[in-house]
Amino acid sequence: MSTRRILLADDDGALREMLAMTLEMEGYRVAQADDAEATISALEKGAFDILLLDMGMPPHEHDIQEGLRVLEWLQRHPRDLKCIVLTGQDPERSAYRAVKAGAFDYLSKPVKENALLQAVERAGLFLDNERRLRQEEQTQKVTLTLPLGQGVKPARNMAEEQLLRQVLEETGFNIHETARALNMNRENVYYLLKKYGIRRPERADTSS
Amino acid sequence: MKALSSEWILWLSALMVLIGIILMAAAFYVRARARQVGALVQKLLALVHEHHGDPLKFIPASLPLLRQAGAARVMVELQWFGQSLNFTDEAKQRVDQSRCESHAIEGQEIVLRAVICPRRGLRGEQAELYDILARLWLEVLAAQVNGRLAQIHFSEQQLKRYELFYKHDLKNLAQFMHLLSGQMRRCDTPDCSHALLERLKKVLPDLEERAGRILQHLGKQSADDWSAVEEVSLGHLVKMEARALDLPVEVEGDAEVYVESVTFQHGLRNVMENFKHHPGTRHVRALIETTPQKVILRLTSDALTGRLSEMERARMFEPFWTTSRSGMGLGLYIARQNFHKACRARLDVEQLDDNRWAFVIVCPRLGAPAPAQS
């Protein structure tokens, strides 16, 4: 039995309950959110391993913009989780945008129960091994979407920013811990915060 | 010398009076012409207002005004939701071909071609009056047609949005059923069954609301995702739809047709709803005729009497045009699209010999669809 925490984001209450029950029977601990705002709020407050995200949520149930809002928030505030998109939107339009915005997997409604559980399991497997990689080899996997044909400087900057954001999120914006994890001095961390316009969140532990 | 000078003064005075009279006459003439221009422009604008931007009413009503302004030939060719309408006004005077102006708009449902020519010999302010009126008329006509095209485009967008909404609900419902079915299979203990029941109790009101919403939309929308092409009896389809609408029907003849049956039925329902709402319909007559190339279904009743003008025929398939207080005027417009989609059939109206008219659906005889390749 798994003890992973899953956040379910879907505006359809009935479906959400049924999804929650299916996942709970497999041993997952499930929290629920019914719109983008509630999803972001839940991600801010708690730690999850997997986010199961519906792209069409109020007030734009017929569009993907609410799902994209969550994915874009995750890009700015990286979390140690995998996002699986489970949506009824047209895959031709939404899959590309979702993958571009950092989704790990994409499932089109209606999906068979087995396919859903396999996708969740697969996401968990990737997450475990990335965590292991970090623990055993002190390496951080960073996924980037880079523009081609502009040389390596933008790639370096984006990788630097992404890495910094990830470590900051993990350390709860603790500058001392972040500097230690990145093997930098604190002044350099402050310099990079300024360079990339990263601001200390109000709720975070500010001790450094 | 003195006599000469007084004679000059007399002549000069007379000349001055003459010039004064000419100037006054010219001023009077210009004022009258200006009034004429103003009056014609005002009349034209009043027509626009009066007919609420409807080109089918505006065009015939504006023709006398154009003639008054100096037009010798006005020709408007309009393709209006599948019907062809021509408006022509030819004066007896000769036409100045070199000064003809034309305008064309090609939309998916509406095509407009308008030509306006002045009579020969128009000069000066008369020619200017004509120019002002002709240009204004063409601009107004173009604006009316473009406005109608924009309205249709907007309505189609709204219908698509509508469709997206119910598809979203439908997919969620299908997902729910998949998961519920999985849970039912796996739940083999009383505790699990109890938990499932409790959960279902919690979600049923939400589910019921969504299902209701889907059903409401399904009554109005096409069923393109699940409609399969199959061979059906046309007579049977007519009887089924009549029964659903509680309409007595008498079917003569029958034919088997390959159609997307759900879409075809929606089209049929939209047409038959007209009988339902038409006062005086006692029963519907359905006549099915077969030729080697096509199957023709005529639907008529005792209430569909009189002769239909071209204009009435064009209006019938125009979206949002209705004589009913409760209808939206979309039924026949959608029906025509549904029949085309179901089997490339054409819905029209036809005048019958006995002073009645009928809805006619001409369905090309298509062979059975090729089996899907695995």
Side-chain angles (χ1 to χ4, degrees), chain B residues 17 36 43 124 142 147 149 152 162 196 212 216 223 236 246 278 321 339 343 353:
Chain B
V17 169
Q36 194 186 358
K43 278 183 191 169
L149 285 169
I152 296 161
Y162 227 48
L196 183 60
Q216 196 187 349
H236 177 67
D246 198 22
H278 204 293
W321 190 87
F339 284 124
C343 60
D353 295 336

Side-chain angles (χ1 to χ4, degrees), chain B residues 9-25:
Chain B
I9 289 168
L10 200 66
W11 272 109
L12 204 61
S13 306
L15 188 68
M16 292 293 280
V17 169
L18 190 67
I19 291 170
I21 289 169
I22 290 170
L23 281 176
M24 275 178 69

Side-chain angles (χ1 to χ4, degrees), chain B residues 300-315:
Chain B
T300 187
S301 82
D302 292 335
L304 304 187
T305 52
R307 294 206 74 77
L308 283 175
S309 68
E310 284 300 307
M311 185 79 88
E312 283 170 319
R313 291 171 72 143
R315 285 296 196 199

Side-chain angles (χ1 to χ4, degrees), chain A residues 130-208:
Chain A
E130 280 172 24
R131 282 174 181 165
R132 196 176 149 195
L133 198 69
R134 198 157 56 233
Q135 236 169 18
E136 291 181 7
E137 299 183 30
Q138 296 295 303
T139 53
Q140 174 78 42
K141 191 177 172 199
V142 175
T143 308
L144 294 170
T145 306
L146 294 167
L148 293 172
Q150 292 179 18
V152 291
K153 198 176 173 189
R156 196 189 65 199
N157 285 346
M158 284 174 80
E160 193 173 58
E161 183 187 346
Q162 187 73 0
L163 188 61
L164 180 65
R165 282 185 186 275
Q166 278 186 7
V167 177
L168 281 167
E169 290 292 340
E170 276 166 23
T171 61
F173 224 92
N174 185 318
I175 303 298
H176 177 73
E177 285 295 315
T178 304
R180 201 169 62 83
L182 294 171
N183 196 21
M184 300 166 106
N185 58 41
R186 284 165 53 179
E187 286 69 28
N188 283 344
V189 174
Y190 283 120
Y191 166 76
L192 291 177
L193 289 179
K194 198 176 169 192
K195 180 180 174 184
Y196 297 117
I198 301 170
R199 292 192 176 183
R200 186 191 301 271
E202 282 170 21
R203 55 163 190 86
D205 178 12
T206 52
S207 62
S208 59

Side-chain angles (χ1 to χ4, degrees), chain B residues 338-357:
Chain B
N338 278 340
F339 284 124
H340 181 78
K341 198 169 158 214
C343 60
R344 284 187 272 142
R346 165 97 181 159
L347 167 68
D348 221 323
V349 283
E350 189 182 86
Q351 200 70 51
L352 303 177
D353 295 336
D354 54 355
N355 199 36
R356 278 185 306 154
W357 56 272

Side-chain angles (χ1 to χ4, degrees), chain B residues 87-272:
Chain B
F87 302 90
T88 310
D89 186 43
E90 292 247 24
K92 282 179 184 162
Q93 291 102 325
R94 294 181 71 187
V95 175
D96 186 351
Q97 297 281 3
S98 63
R99 291 184 57 207
C100 288
E101 281 190 68
S102 63
H103 198 94
I105 296 174
E106 298 223 359
Q108 210 176 347
E109 308 268 17
I110 305 173
V111 177
L112 165 83
R113 284 187 199 92
V115 181
I116 179 167
C117 308
R119 63 172 180 261
R120 217 175 245 190
L122 275 187
R123 280 189 200 91
E125 68 286 340
Q126 266 193 325
E128 277 169 22
L129 166 67
Y130 164 80
D131 280 345
I132 291 169
L133 251 287
R135 274 181 205 156
L136 185 63
W137 181 76
L138 282 172
E139 297 270 330
V140 165
L141 195 56
Q144 287 182 342
V145 170
N146 281 326
R148 195 52 69 99
L149 285 169
Q151 188 190 13
I152 296 161
H153 178 72
F154 181 66
S155 314
E156 279 174 355
Q157 295 295 315
Q158 275 191 321
L159 286 174
K160 275 183 192 161
R161 275 167 64 93
Y162 227 48
E163 199 172 275
L164 281 174
F165 268 108
Y166 90 74
K167 274 188 182 168
H168 173 251
D169 282 344
L170 198 63
K171 283 179 180 174
N172 278 357
L173 193 62
Q175 182 66 78
F176 178 89
M177 296 309 290
H178 269 306
L179 294 173
L180 178 62
S181 144
Q183 293 294 311
M184 304 264 285
R185 267 199 311 273
R186 286 198 294 165
C187 253
D188 49 6
T189 63
D191 281 351
C192 178
S193 302
H194 181 70
L196 183 60
L197 197 66
E198 286 303 310
R199 215 125 192 179
L200 280 176
K201 270 188 201 167
K202 196 173 155 189
V203 303
L204 274 179
D206 186 42
L207 202 63
E208 203 177 345
E209 188 203 316
R210 287 200 177 231
R213 223 156 64 185
I214 295 166
L215 286 174
Q216 196 187 349
H217 291 316
L218 278 179
K220 296 175 183 168
Q221 299 287 309
S222 63
D224 46 347
D225 276 355
W226 58 88
S227 181
V229 175
E230 56 187 330
E231 190 179 24
V232 287
S233 150
L234 203 50
H236 177 67
L237 284 185
V238 171
K239 282 176 192 164
M240 265 174 53
E241 286 310 317
R243 196 179 308 146
L245 292 168
D246 198 22
L247 267 173
V249 67
E250 181 190 315
V251 181
E252 275 180 40
D254 198 5
E256 299 289 316
V257 282
Y258 280 99
V259 294
E260 269 187 34
S261 59
V262 179
T263 316
F264 195 90
Q265 269 174 283
H266 279 181
L268 212 48
R269 182 168 300 182
N270 283 331
V271 174
M272 292 182 77

Side-chain angles (χ1 to χ4, degrees), chain A residues 26-40:
Chain A
E26 292 298 308
Y28 295 105
R29 286 181 294 151
V30 179
Q32 301 182 26
D34 59 0
D35 62 16
E37 210 60 56
T39 308
I40 291 169

